[in-house]
């Protein structure tokens, strides 16, 4: 009984070369297809539109950051102005308090001097007897 003998080396090599040639022809035909070119063109257009949208978003983000920085600067300016006004008010209050204390001390000194003068006069009267 004869056993099955497959193709020899030359036959296998020629079959492999034919398969490679067929695949290459199939690839060339697919790359020359107008539908593929159209798909590639749409893909490129979509990618470019995406890049434009990304650029617009980045520009908007930079604009928002600049606006936030400007608002922060304005807020800092308002805080600084409020601090200055508070310091002025505190200085006025301190000046008024110092003035009130000075006038109170002057009144107390005048009252003390009046009492001292009255005591002196009473003492003199007692010594003289009249």
């Amino acid at each position: 009984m004869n056993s099955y003998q497959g193709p020899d080396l030359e036959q296998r090599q020629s079959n492999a070369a034919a398969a490679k040639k067929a695949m290459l022809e199939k690839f060339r035909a697919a790359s020359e297809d107008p539908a593929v070119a159209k798909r590639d063109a749409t893909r490129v257009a979509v990618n470019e539109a995406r890049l434009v949208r990304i650029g617009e978003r980045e520009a908007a983000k930079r604009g928002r950051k600049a606006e936030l920085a400007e608002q922060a600067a304005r807020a800092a300016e308002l805080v600084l102005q409020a601090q200055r006004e508070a310091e002025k008010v505190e200085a006025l209050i301190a000046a008024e308090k110092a003035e009130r204390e000075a006038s109170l001390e002057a009144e107390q000194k005048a009252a003390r001097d009046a009492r001292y003068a009255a005591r002196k006069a009473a003492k003199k009267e007692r010594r003289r007897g009249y």
Side-chain angles (χ1 to χ4, degrees), residues 63-80:
R64 282 192 303 268
K65 281 185 180 179
E67 185 177 319
L68 287 175
E70 184 178 324
Q71 287 177 356
R74 280 195 301 248
E77 179 70 27
L78 289 174
V79 167
L80 189 60

Side-chain angles (χ1 to χ4, degrees), residues 74-129:
R74 280 195 301 248
E77 179 70 27
L78 289 174
V79 167
L80 189 60
Q81 185 177 2
Q83 283 178 340
R84 279 190 234 130
E85 289 177 2
E87 288 173 0
K88 284 181 185 178
V89 168
E90 287 177 8
L92 286 174
I93 290 173
E96 287 176 0
K97 184 177 179 183
E99 186 178 325
R100 277 195 311 263
E101 287 177 0
S103 66
L104 181 63
E105 286 179 10
E107 288 175 9
Q108 288 174 346
K109 185 176 180 343
R112 189 173 53 239
D113 289 347
R115 285 194 311 268
Y116 181 70
R119 267 198 321 261
K120 282 277 215 183
K123 190 174 181 183
K124 270 187 180 181
E125 243 181 74
R126 280 194 310 263
R127 280 189 184 165
R128 288 185 189 169

Side-chain angles (χ1 to χ4, degrees), residues 18-71:
K20 284 182 184 178
K21 189 174 184 181
M23 286 183 2
L24 183 62
E25 287 300 320
K26 185 178 175 185
F27 177 74
R28 284 186 183 153
S31 66
E32 292 174 358
D33 189 17
V36 171
K38 185 177 179 183
R39 246 190 341 233
D40 288 343
T42 13
R43 189 175 297 131
V44 167
V46 166
N47 192 29
E48 287 176 358
R50 182 180 303 123
L51 291 175
V52 167
R53 287 193 311 271
I54 288 172
E56 289 173 353
R57 279 195 302 261
E58 290 295 322
K61 190 184 291 185
R62 283 192 299 271
R64 282 192 303 268
K65 281 185 180 179
E67 185 177 319
L68 287 175
E70 184 178 324
Q71 287 177 356

